[in-house]
Amino acid sequence: MEIRGKAVVVTGAGRGIGAAMALRFAAEGPRGLLVADLDGTAAGRVAAQVRALGVDAVDVCADVGDKEQSRALVAVAEREFGPLDVVCSNAGVATGAGVHAGDQDWARSWAVNVMAHVYLAQAVLPGMARRHSGHLLITASAVGLLGLPGDAPYSVTKHAAVGLAEWLAFTYGHLGVRVSALCPLGVRTDLLMPGVAAGHPAARAVLDYAPLLTAEEVAEAALEGLSDERFLILPHPEVGELHARKAADPDAWVWRRAKREA
């Protein structure tokens, strides 16, 4: 999938990885790009930067954990730019809490880290399947492949996001629709860096795995992964080796980390 001349949607694009993807994709010359975020001011700021690059862009303030708002932002994108070619479901939240996180934290994690991807898939995949073209990119996390001590809602829901992407790839690949799971590890964004500064166990575990990347480096990896039509897009190359090690000996993987946390 090449971005030039395509209609693109990026959610969670007000800052961090989403903003970096929107700007990197804009440099490729899409015919239109929709920037969505719960923070409408941030979405508008990124859309303005996209327009400054000569690309037609619109911004939408939306909570993608809400089904109707997800459908509405897709409708806006289709009205403005026509059939959608690349949809990046990127929004995500972290709690920093363990299994005793409150019900509200668990519910919000499921809504944003899993159901937001479901809602966008429901909205865009029928049209892509009819056209036998299109690419859905789900920003999951390397945590969805490796696990993460210290943040139970995040780890559990990111595993679910990878599983969803895999199921969608199985189901829609023969129809010409590509699905990818973007699985970065530590990235210098507002989602991680406060935890790093506080020495949170989840942040420490991330730092143990691999060096931190910038959001721009992740966006570049996403672009390359879309071009290559890869299912797993791993901005940190270490993740592939770690995932293989986990699969080869899951008992050792789990208990080694359990001892580290003790």
Side-chain angles (χ1 to χ4, degrees), residues 24-222:
R24 181 63 187 89
F25 294 171
E28 295 297 302
R31 75 171 181 271
L33 198 152
L34 182 139
V35 177
D37 200 276
L38 183 61
D39 183 340
T41 301
R45 184 167 55 248
V46 173
Q49 292 176 281
V50 170
R51 287 191 290 271
L53 295 172
V55 174
D56 191 8
V58 295
D59 55 277
V60 172
C61 177
D63 179 356
V64 290
D66 179 88
K67 186 173 186 176
E68 294 309 315
Q69 292 186 52
S70 287
R71 286 180 172 176
L73 76 86
V74 168
V76 170
E78 291 177 335
R79 183 178 68 243
E80 295 289 331
F81 309 127
L84 302 180
D85 302 293
V86 180
V87 175
C88 303
S89 186
N90 173 75
V93 295
T95 68
V99 72
H100 296 292
D103 289 352
Q104 188 173 9
D105 285 336
W106 276 105
R108 186 62 180 161
S109 295
W110 278 108
V112 178
N113 294 346
V114 183
M115 294 310 299
H117 304 314
V118 172
Y119 298 148
L120 279 177
Q122 290 174 338
V124 304
L125 288 179
M128 289 182 175
R130 286 193 299 271
R131 297 189 300 273
H132 296 278
S133 68
H135 205 130
L136 174 64
L137 174 70
I138 290 176
T139 300
S141 171
V143 169
L145 301 171
L146 305 177
L148 179 69
D151 192 329
Y154 188 80
S155 184
V156 171
T157 54
K158 290 300 184 178
H159 275 78
V162 173
L164 172 66
E166 185 178 71
W167 186 91
L168 293 171
F170 288 161
T171 305
Y172 287 87
H174 74 286
L175 296 172
V177 180
R178 294 292 177 260
V179 179
S180 295
L182 176 63
C183 294
L185 195 49
V187 186
R188 294 183 182 277
T189 68
D190 293 342
L191 194 69
L192 176 65
M193 297 314 293
V196 170
H200 191 278
R204 291 203 309 270
V206 167
L207 293 176
D208 284 345
Y209 283 136
L212 299 180
L213 296 181
T214 65
E216 290 73 21
E217 289 172 316
V218 175
E220 189 67 37

Side-chain angles (χ1 to χ4, degrees), residues 229-242:
E229 296 189 340
R230 294 199 301 269
F231 170 67
L232 275 184
I233 301 176
L234 305 177
H236 294 80
E238 299 90 341
V239 170
E241 179 184 343
L242 292 168

